[in-house]
């Protein structure tokens, strides 16, 4: 007892001491924040003054009136629709009693709600004119209208910045930006966006732009900031259209990754690749008026760069993805060069990524700490296999694993298609150092004793068919998880993936294995095991302050990230409100010769959806899939005599994803009865058959809705023999 309380006292004293040590820092951070004084925005003259003293004149009166107007418009539309359907039903040649107790209106209502849901789910990506009433929307918060877009005329001397993808998406991805000046276009990045489960059967999306299709011949160069899929994933779909004449510029590792991707095409196109060494500070001439310079910056992948585009109206800095690192494994970021360009030339516009704008502070540790902790895992769990799961593009982290394993006499095998690919590209681009005799093939490594085995694999996001899950289920060719295994999640779940990751963790724990996840240091006392590739809030404050751009445009992020990024630039860095724009995919932002910016019109943008076999999926198909997943499908097959036009055998009925037929005899009987009555007269012409099909579809849907509360897709098939 005594010993316990003494230990407890010691623990408390230690905690108190730690807190006291940290207190000055906390105090300082608090004071810094006070200085920022976000409340000043609400003071007279502040930008949010309006919100404090609402002007209650026109707005309040106008709103309900407008609402009423739309309401009446809606109801007249609805009654019109109801009238026409009524007219149609009374037109029927033969009305058969459906023996239902629900009104048809209820079914129609159900169908309408369902189709609204389906549409909302299948079109979460940007289509048409997105709603954007942000204070930074370029129109003082007023929503852009179709008439404004029609009236927009490009300014002759403007440099036009057009985000084709990556802004305000649901999720991060599909990054692609166009810069145009007097008919010369350059493109930066061509990324994919992984589709959520809301899009059944869709694996990823690719930017789609009619404007780009129409202007393909004007494209003078294509640049890539780095090799993550949200920046190069769409290469194999988009690059071939530009042909071998358009030069492609990127660092050697990024070019290697693009080539690898292009090699997956059935016919590998001839492309015009140019490797760029950012540390050479070359100014690359891209067209008559545009040139660019790659700047070496740090991220979670080798060969990362920011890009300065030099235009007649000033320099545009595209940050790409970046993070600050005090003690990097890679060559330190070329921040001096950025500062030099800022001093000598200045930046007219900064496009800055927004991924981690919601994470306070700065990066708390380095990639080396992650490596040390991998070593600690190998020491603690020395008798079994250590299986490390991380993103396949984390080449530098893989280098650390190799080093730690080699120091302990362990061999390392890689598993997962993308993992093996990336290591190969990294070896060729000299982006990774490998200790001698450490890498082994998966099929050889399993001949070694467990305590000599380290495996680096994909699947840290809980992906169903990735290596880690296959090891759990026993579907992996070489490895089945056992209780002496230790699995390290050297990553954080991407928002939205948490349930899948936990599913994988559950599976591993059920097999008796040890699981060590980043961010859960209190469970194992080992961590951190991951370092985010994106800058945190205070990093952004420093970066934007240092670059001192005239104008600012957040990119690479969901809408809330863009908005928070813009607020940071105004409130903390002090960029004037009118020099900040929160744009959406498709918006045309013009940088003028006097270095002001404004929005001026839109280009049509959208998505092409692809499945996991790289085949395009039509949006209508996705909608059908969602409909079927919720309501099912119901097919009735009628066989009519060619001579008499009457039913000659019992109608066949097929139900999928709806009701189990064996348990639904009464309902099926009712439908058969209806179908017999319905076909109790001659149908001869094709017109008759078409009308009959429509009526059957509607009536059967009503009977099914009456019995089940659902409206599956009903397909009547009529054969004539
Ligand atoms: Zn990235
Ligand atoms: Zn990215």
């Amino acid at each position: 007892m005594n010993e316990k309380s003494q230990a407890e006292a010691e623990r408390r004293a230690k905690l108190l001491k730690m807190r006291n040590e940290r207190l000055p820092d906390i105090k300082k951070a608090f004071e810094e924040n006070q200085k920022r004084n976000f409340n000043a925005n609400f003071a007279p003259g502040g930008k949010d003054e309006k919100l404090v003293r609402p002007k209650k004149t026109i707005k309040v009166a106008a709103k309900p009136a407008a609402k009423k107007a739309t309401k009446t418009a809606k109801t007249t539309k609805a009654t019109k629709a109801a009238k026409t359907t009524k007219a149609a039903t009374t037109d029927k040649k033969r009305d058969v009693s459906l023996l239902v107790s629900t009104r048809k209106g209820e079914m129609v209502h159900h169908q309408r709600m369902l189709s609204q849901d389906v549409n909302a789910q299948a079109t979460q990506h940007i289509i048409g004119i997105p709603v954007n009433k942000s204070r930074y929307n370029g129109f003082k918060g007023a929503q852009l209208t179709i008439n404004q877009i029609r009236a927009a005329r490009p300014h002759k001397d403007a440099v036009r910045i057009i985000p084709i993808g990556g802004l305000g998406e649901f999720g991060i991805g599909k990054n692609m930006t166009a810069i145009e000046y007097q008919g010369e276009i350059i493109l930066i990045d061509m990324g994919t966006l992984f589709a959520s489960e809301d899009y059944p059967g869709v694996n990823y999306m690719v930017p789609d732009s009619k404007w780009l299709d129409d202007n393909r011949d004007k494209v003078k160069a294509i640049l890539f900031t780095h090799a993550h899929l949200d920046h190069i994933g769409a290469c194999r779909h988009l690059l071939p259209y530009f042909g071998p004449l358009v030069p492609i510029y990127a660092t050697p590792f990024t070019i290697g990754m693009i080539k690898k991707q292009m090699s997956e095409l059935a016919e590998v196109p001839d492309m015009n690749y140019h490797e760029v060494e950012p540390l050479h500070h070359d100014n690359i001439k891209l067209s008559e008026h545009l040139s660019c310079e790659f700047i070496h910056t740090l991220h979670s992948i080798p060969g990362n760069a920011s890009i300065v585009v030099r235009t007649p109206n000033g320099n545009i800095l595209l940050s790409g993805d970046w993070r600050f690192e005090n003690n990097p494994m890679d060559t330190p970021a070329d921040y001096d060069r950025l500062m030099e360009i800022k001093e000598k030339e200045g930046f007219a516009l900064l496009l800055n990524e927004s991924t981690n704008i919601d994470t306070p502070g700065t990066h708390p540790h380095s990639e080396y700490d992650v490596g040390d902790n991998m070593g600690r895992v190998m020491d603690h769990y020395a008798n079994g296999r250590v299986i490390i799961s991380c993103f396949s593009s984390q080449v530098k982290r893989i280098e650390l694993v190799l080093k730690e394993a080699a120091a302990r006499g362990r061999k390392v095998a890689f598993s997962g298609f993308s993992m093996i690919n990336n290591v190969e590209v990294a070896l060729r681009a000299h982006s990774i150092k490998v200790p001698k005799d450490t890498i082994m093939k998966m099929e050889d490594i399993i001949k070694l004793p467990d305590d000599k085995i380290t495996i680096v694999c994909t699947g840290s996001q809980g992906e169903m068919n990735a290596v880690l899950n296959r090891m759990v289920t026993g579907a992996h060719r070489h490895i089945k998880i056992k209780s002496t295994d230790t699995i390290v999640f050297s990553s954080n779940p991407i928002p939205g993936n948490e349930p899948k990751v936990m599913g994988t963790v559950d599976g591993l724990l059920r097999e008796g294995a040890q699981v060590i996840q980043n961010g859960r240091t209190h469970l194992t006392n080992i961590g951190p095991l991951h370092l985010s590739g994106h800058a945190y809030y205070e990093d952004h404050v420093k970066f934007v302050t240092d670059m001192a751009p005239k104008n600012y445009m957040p990119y690479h992020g969901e809408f809330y990230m863009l908005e928070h990024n813009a607020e940071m630039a105004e409130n903390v860095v002090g960029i004037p409100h009118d020099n900040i724009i929160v744009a959406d995919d498709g918006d045309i932002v013009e940088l003028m010769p006097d270095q002001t910016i404004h929005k001026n019109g839109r280009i049509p943008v959208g998505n092409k959806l692809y499945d996991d076999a790289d085949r395009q999926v039509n949006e209508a198909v996705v909608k059908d899939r969602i409909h079927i997943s919720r309501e099912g499908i119901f097919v009735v097959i009628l066989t009519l005599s060619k001579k008499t036009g009457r039913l000659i055998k019992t109608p066949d009925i097929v139900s999928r994803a709806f009701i189990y037929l064996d348990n639904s005899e009464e309902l099926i009987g009712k439908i058969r009865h209806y179908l017999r009555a319905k076909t109790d007269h001659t149908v001869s012409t094709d017109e008759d058959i078409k009308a009959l099909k429509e009526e059957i579809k509607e009536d059967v849907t009503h009977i099914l809705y009456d019995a089940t509360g659902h409206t599956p897709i009903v397909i009547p098939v009529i054969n004539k023999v």
Side-chain angles (χ1 to χ4, degrees), residues 390-664:
C390 66
F391 291 117
S392 57
S393 55
Q394 292 271 19
V395 171
K396 287 288 165 192
R397 187 162 312 160
I398 292 166
E399 184 177 318
L400 288 172
V401 171
L402 287 166
K403 193 182 127 219
E404 298 296 331
R408 290 161 180 83
R410 282 179 184 259
K411 305 280 180 200
V412 179
F414 297 101
S415 188
F417 181 71
S418 58
M419 189 65 80
I420 294 166
N421 266 351
N422 289 6
V423 172
E424 270 176 31
V425 174
L427 282 170
R428 235 172 278 146
H430 305 290
S431 307
I432 187 170
K433 276 177 236 143
V434 179
K436 247 189 176 175
D437 299 329
T438 306
I439 297 183
M440 282 183 85
K441 277 189 183 157
M442 199 68 170
E443 45 267 50
D444 297 330
I445 201 168
I446 46 173
K447 293 169 197 156
L448 294 172
D450 284 358
D451 62 354
K452 293 278 172 275
I453 296 178
T454 308
I455 294 162
V456 181
C457 67
T458 56
S460 64
Q461 294 300 314
E463 306 94 314
M464 228 17 229
N465 52 4
V467 175
L468 203 53
N469 257 329
R470 283 192 277 132
M471 288 178 181
V472 173
T473 57
H476 193 274
R477 208 145 43 110
H478 303 295
I479 287 198
K480 170 88 181 91
I481 294 293
K482 50 186 176 183
S483 59
T484 48
D485 290 340
T486 302
I487 295 87
V488 179
F489 282 74
S490 177
S491 65
N492 285 339
I494 294 170
N497 284 352
E498 293 90 346
K500 281 198 243 166
V501 175
M502 294 328 291
T504 304
V505 172
D506 280 349
L508 292 164
L509 292 175
R510 279 179 184 279
E511 296 297 333
Q514 288 65 242
V515 176
I516 305 177
Q517 283 177 274
N518 180 55
R520 286 175 166 76
T521 308
H522 64 290
L523 297 176
T524 53
N525 206 24
I526 299 179
L529 291 153
H530 178 60
L531 176 62
S532 167
H534 300 275
Y536 290 175
Y537 191 89
E538 298 301 334
D539 301 326
H540 283 290
V541 171
K542 177 176 163 44
F543 177 61
V544 181
T545 306
D546 285 351
M547 293 308 120
K550 257 226 166 92
N551 298 289
Y552 191 69
M553 188 174 143
Y555 81 148
H556 196 285
E558 298 189 34
F559 197 80
Y560 72 91
M561 300 174 192
L562 305 180
E563 185 76 10
H564 292 169
N565 193 347
E567 282 173 2
M568 181 274 303
E570 185 187 9
N571 294 340
V572 184
V573 180
I575 296 176
H577 183 92
D578 292 343
N579 299 15
I580 302 171
I581 280 191
V582 168
D584 284 289
D585 293 350
D587 282 339
I588 298 168
V589 177
E590 291 189 333
L591 172 65
M592 304 302 289
D594 66 357
Q595 300 205 336
T596 56
I597 54 166
H598 60 249
K599 275 192 201 166
N600 188 13
R602 279 181 63 76
I603 62 161
V605 288
N607 298 260
K608 282 191 179 132
L609 314 178
Y610 287 86
D611 63 17
D612 54 7
D614 281 345
R615 299 207 188 261
Q616 210 180 327
V617 186
N618 193 291
E619 203 171 276
V621 173
V622 176
K623 285 182 186 172
D624 277 350
R625 283 181 188 158
I626 300 170
H627 189 155
I628 292 167
S629 73
R630 288 181 54 152
E631 307 280 285
I633 190 165
F634 196 84
V635 186
V636 293
I637 303 157
L638 303 172
T639 311
L640 304 183
S641 156
K642 244 183 206 164
K643 261 187 208 157
T644 65
R646 303 220 170 160
L647 204 60
I648 49 173
K649 65 182 264 227
T650 314
D652 285 319
I653 286 174
V654 181
S655 163
R656 285 282 182 277
F658 172 52
I659 48 168
Y660 193 57
L661 285 183
D662 288 0
N663 301 337
S664 319

Side-chain angles (χ1 to χ4, degrees), residues 226 228 231 299 321:
H226 66 290
H228 276 147
H231 298 258
H299 184 37
D321 293 1

